[in-house]
Amino acid sequence: MRRAPAAAFLLLALLAAAEASGPEGGEQACDKGWERSGSRLCCKRNITDFFKARHFEELFPRRNDTIAHAAGFWDYPAFIAAAALFEPRGFGTTGGKEMGVREVAAFLAHVGASTSCGRFYPNPMAWGLCYKREMSPYQNFYCDDSNELYRCVEGLQYYGRGGEALFLNYNYGIIGKGIKQDLLSHPELLQQNATLAFEAAIWRWMTPVKWRQPSAHDAFVGNWKPSKNDPLSKRYPGFGTTMNIMRGDRICGQGFTDEMNNTISHYIYYLGLMGVNHEHSGRSLDCADQVVFNPSSKSLGS
């Protein structure tokens, strides 16, 4: 008889939970606006909790300037729509708020550095998202005829497009498969649709090039546990290794090159605009002495 109050309390709790779940007993959908309307995932922390439209404008204030080559293309809703697809996988939602801020800043630093025309103008950090495509592509450089899985489509060019300047036919094929878009047949989509351009870049950030290699996301947030060989190759968790994964030997393993320093500068600058002191930028910022995971001839991405 003494167990009756406890049983009654449990029954009331279950009834309350069932009522909150709705008439069909499923999980109650919550509505947090256009980012995750009607999804139970919106009840968890989202990037929009700490990264607002004003932050996007502060990071990319000159993107719609009259002399910007992609004026009117990139915007905050496109980034958030793409990012929301990867939030369940941990993009911007791994760890606490500061880690989320740092990861968004790190990812956008890659994008900002890749799409900047700032070297021509004052305040170079303000010119990210100036481009959406390579302006002077080499005509015969972007088709790798040796790749039989993702053959070039006759008449199409696979020069740099999108947020990470994706180029070469096999990269369009691999990433297109990842985001369920036929980029091999329609590479122009990355310069026509800003959401797809961001989605392709985030997929690249979240996906390892090869099995047993880390993604840039895992290397940055600390999910990656280096093997005993990684320290010998000067590879450690942090922003530096994200450059190794995303850019390979174009900027890593060659000392302190201008391009590597520029990417780091974007990261530190964006962190400051988002309210994080550079002292909290994390360890291992550079990849100057790192052995690259994948030589350029086998590298995925930009």
Side-chain angles (χ1 to χ4, degrees), residues 115-126:
T115 59
S116 175
C117 54
R119 67 183 183 275
F120 303 117
Y121 306 107
N123 191 12
M125 299 297 113

Side-chain angles (χ1 to χ4, degrees), residues 219-274:
F220 187 81
V221 302
N223 291 340
W224 172 52
K225 306 303 179 186
S227 70
K228 63 180 181 180
N229 293 324
D230 287 305
L232 298 176
S233 299
K234 306 294 181 65
R235 298 189 296 245
Y236 304 95
F239 185 75
T241 298
T242 72
M243 292 188 288
N244 189 325
I245 296 165
M246 301 291 282
R247 307 286 183 82
D249 54 14
R250 290 202 302 121
I251 65 173
C252 294
Q254 303 179 46
F256 288 88
T257 64
D258 289 343
E259 189 171 358
M260 185 198 72
N261 289 334
N262 182 50
T263 306
I264 296 171
S265 295
H266 274 79
Y267 172 50
I268 300 299
Y269 181 70
Y270 289 177
L271 277 180
L273 291 178
M274 294 171 68

